[in-house]
Amino acid sequence: MGGGLGTIGLAGALFRNGEAAPVSPHAQPRAKRVIQLFMNGGPFQGDLFDPKPLTAKFAGERPSEVDLRTERKTAGLLPSPFKFSPAGESGVPVSELLPLTAQRIDDICVIRSLHTNNPNHGPALLLMNNGTILPTRPSMGAWMSYGLGTENDSLPPYVVLCPGRPVRFSILWSSGFLPGEHQGTYINHSDPTPDKLIPYLKNTSHSVDEQRRQLELLRELNGLHREQRSSDARLDARIRSMETAFRMQFSATEAFDLERETQSTREAYGEGHFANACLLARRLAERGVLFTQIYYGNGQPWDTHSKHDESTRKLCRDIDRPIAALLTDLKQRGLLEDTLVIWGGEFGRTPTSENGNGRDHNHYGFTMWLAGGGVKGGMTYGETDDFGFRAVHDRVHIHDLHATVLHLLGLDHEKLTYRYAGRDFRLTDVHGRVVKEVTG
């Protein structure tokens, strides 16, 4: 049958208009879609959204509050050199490193009291993405796709953008034991040219009429196959994935073509892979993609074990304009009210020093923020201790974050289950509470 991915779709795909009815949620949703901005490696909360002036007063010392075991050995307190100022009408303090993002703070809810279970990148990434450190479970995006379906069956419901490979790679967007069509579609957007973003998508060997005849034959053969066998979820999932692949020949090129944007829009987002990913995420949100996940870069760029301040300046300079542009663009187009934007990493970093000018991993307390999609903007929730090491007030575990995200999508995290190997599984396992204080 030769050629690209398009040759293996099924004939029914040829007669659809690209619209698929989504599955009914458990409750009225506040958000219809999610964009996650993942700072893989782990940003330091004390540089950006959680100012701790006492670290300067006790610089170099190691009070009992920071005498915690970390992955690597750390020394005394290392103050952040970056200044904070109240931003927006709400007056939420934001670092000087993010002046443009600060202008959108009234749309942002800063959660300062996240905590997770493990200070190592691999397990922490799995817990943040899959709700467990086990690599065989479905990812958050797969659960969303399973629970809600898709508004546009000409594009995948779950898209992952990364200019390279984050640590642990594809298991972070796996469908696990859920049907295979719920797995994230990984796209390396290092080269934003549409034909290179998704290689082998178009079938250049056969015309549409020739493909139609092939697909009609495949449909008949699959019908005979089903008649002779009991229901096979893996076969059904593969068929549906092939259908999507066929339709993407005609829709993905347009959706991923940044050249269709105006010059002023391109300039608003800025240049670079992260800027391109944010703009792509807005285009996908417009076209009904349920979950777009953006990993900042290859490997773990925010993993600043040395030269922390120098690296953080560069990283923040790279993300500030695109994030502000994304939030502004979504709001101007009427999309922010039902698009949930999530920012953060797999954990934070220590207020104590490593190697003199670096910071180690910190799973005890760190910051993430949410915007749009039914979230209260212009507020902070939770607190870390006086030095920003451990979450101490209104603590939010990753299970709670997942429960809250699903809640905003109209999904009850306790009811969104899948029976496998003799038990019912869910994203939050047997844990999780909805943080209703941050929802509108």
Side-chain angles (χ1 to χ4, degrees), residues 270-348:
E271 299 178 350
H273 59 79
F274 186 74
N276 289 337
C278 287
L279 184 49
L280 284 170
R282 192 224 75 206
R283 291 181 63 81
L284 294 175
E286 287 180 307
R287 288 156 178 79
V289 171
L290 175 65
F291 185 34
T292 302
Q293 187 177 43
I294 299 171
Y295 287 86
Y296 172 79
N298 182 51
Q300 45 206 40
W302 290 80
D303 194 26
T304 51
H305 289 283
S306 62
K307 298 182 179 180
H308 170 85
D309 294 345
E310 178 184 339
S311 297
T312 299
R313 283 190 179 92
K314 294 178 182 178
L315 291 163
C316 289
R317 191 162 51 243
D318 200 36
I319 68 168
D320 186 35
R321 179 175 294 278
I323 289 176
L326 175 63
L327 296 177
T328 301
D329 204 2
L330 289 171
K331 192 164 189 175
Q332 289 175 344
R333 294 168 185 265
L335 290 168
L336 185 59
E337 63 184 25
D338 56 11
T339 302
L340 177 64
V341 182
I342 307 172
W343 178 94
E346 63 267 35
F347 42 52

Side-chain angles (χ1 to χ4, degrees), residues 211-249:
Q211 290 183 63
R212 179 181 288 111
R213 290 195 296 270
Q214 293 177 349
L215 295 171
E216 288 173 349
L217 174 61
L218 283 174
R219 181 175 57 178
E220 294 177 8
L221 293 173
N222 276 290
L224 293 172
H225 184 80
R226 274 204 185 95
E227 289 176 2
Q228 300 169 13
R229 293 163 177 80
S230 58
S231 177
D232 186 339
R234 291 175 296 180
L235 172 63
D236 293 340
R238 181 169 295 183
I239 290 172
R240 286 190 288 269
S241 296
M242 290 175 177
E243 290 177 349
T244 301
F246 175 82
R247 290 188 293 274
M248 284 177 67
Q249 287 185 97

Side-chain angles (χ1 to χ4, degrees), residues 382-423:
E383 297 177 12
T384 51
D385 60 47
D386 289 338
F387 305 103
F389 210 152
R390 186 198 298 266
V392 295
H393 183 61
D394 290 331
R395 302 172 79 231
V396 178
H397 190 270
I398 304 306
H399 296 309
D400 305 327
L401 176 69
H402 288 163
T404 305
V405 170
L406 293 179
H407 169 75
L408 291 168
L409 289 165
L411 295 170
D412 185 330
H413 73 106
E414 294 184 349
K415 295 179 180 178
L416 183 65
T417 62
Y418 190 88
R419 192 157 190 84
Y420 175 74
R423 61 160 285 193

Side-chain angles (χ1 to χ4, degrees), residues 84-94 102 105:
F84 283 76
S85 299
E89 294 183 2
S90 58
V92 172
V94 182
I105 197 64

Side-chain angles (χ1 to χ4, degrees), residues 109-336:
C109 172
V110 179
I111 303 178
R112 293 172 167 172
S113 54
L114 266 293
H115 63 103
T116 186
N117 297 357
N118 194 293
N120 182 269
H121 290 288
L125 282 163
L126 281 165
L127 188 63
M128 183 64 74
N129 281 276
N130 301 20
T132 174
I133 64 173
L134 300 176
T136 56
R137 301 286 175 81
S139 60
M140 175 169 61
W143 281 109
M144 292 179 192
S145 174
Y146 166 68
L148 294 175
T150 179
E151 292 181 350
N152 184 346
D153 63 2
S154 292
L155 290 170
Y158 177 15
V159 174
V160 179
L161 300 171
C162 181
R165 301 164 62 97
V167 172
R168 294 298 177 97
F169 197 44
S170 59
I171 59 174
L172 301 180
W173 48 87
S174 169
S175 59
F177 45 69
L178 293 177
E181 73 264 28
H182 302 300
Q183 178 170 305
T185 298
Y186 163 69
I187 296 174
N188 184 330
H189 66 287
S190 299
D191 185 338
T193 306
D195 289 343
K196 294 181 179 179
L197 280 171
I198 312 176
Y200 314 116
L201 180 63
K202 290 185 177 181
N203 184 343
T204 59
S205 301
H206 302 285
S207 68
V208 173
D209 287 340
E210 289 172 330
Q211 290 183 63
R212 179 181 288 111
R213 290 195 296 270
Q214 293 177 349
L215 295 171
E216 288 173 349
L217 174 61
L218 283 174
R219 181 175 57 178
E220 294 177 8
L221 293 173
N222 276 290
L224 293 172
H225 184 80
R226 274 204 185 95
E227 289 176 2
Q228 300 169 13
R229 293 163 177 80
S230 58
S231 177
D232 186 339
R234 291 175 296 180
L235 172 63
D236 293 340
R238 181 169 295 183
I239 290 172
R240 286 190 288 269
S241 296
M242 290 175 177
E243 290 177 349
T244 301
F246 175 82
R247 290 188 293 274
M248 284 177 67
Q249 287 185 97
F250 313 105
S251 60
T253 299
E254 186 274 337
F256 287 92
D257 189 357
L258 296 182
E259 293 301 320
R260 295 173 183 258
E261 296 288 334
T262 64
Q263 185 62 30
S264 60
T265 299
R266 297 295 300 274
E267 291 174 354
Y269 279 81
E271 299 178 350
H273 59 79
F274 186 74
N276 289 337
C278 287
L279 184 49
L280 284 170
R282 192 224 75 206
R283 291 181 63 81
L284 294 175
E286 287 180 307
R287 288 156 178 79
V289 171
L290 175 65
F291 185 34
T292 302
Q293 187 177 43
I294 299 171
Y295 287 86
Y296 172 79
N298 182 51
Q300 45 206 40
W302 290 80
D303 194 26
T304 51
H305 289 283
S306 62
K307 298 182 179 180
H308 170 85
D309 294 345
E310 178 184 339
S311 297
T312 299
R313 283 190 179 92
K314 294 178 182 178
L315 291 163
C316 289
R317 191 162 51 243
D318 200 36
I319 68 168
D320 186 35
R321 179 175 294 278
I323 289 176
L326 175 63
L327 296 177
T328 301
D329 204 2
L330 289 171
K331 192 164 189 175
Q332 289 175 344
R333 294 168 185 265
L335 290 168
L336 185 59

Side-chain angles (χ1 to χ4, degrees), residues 38-76:
F38 206 108
M39 306 296 107
N40 40 318
F44 176 47
Q45 59 282 356
D47 281 337
L48 305 176
F49 297 102
D50 190 11
K52 295 296 178 180
L54 283 182
T55 56
K57 181 178 179 180
F58 295 96
E61 298 182 25
R62 195 174 176 90
S64 59
E65 292 91 334
V66 299
D67 193 20
L68 300 173
R69 182 178 180 181
T70 53
E71 187 178 52
R72 307 185 189 190
K73 185 177 181 179
T74 65

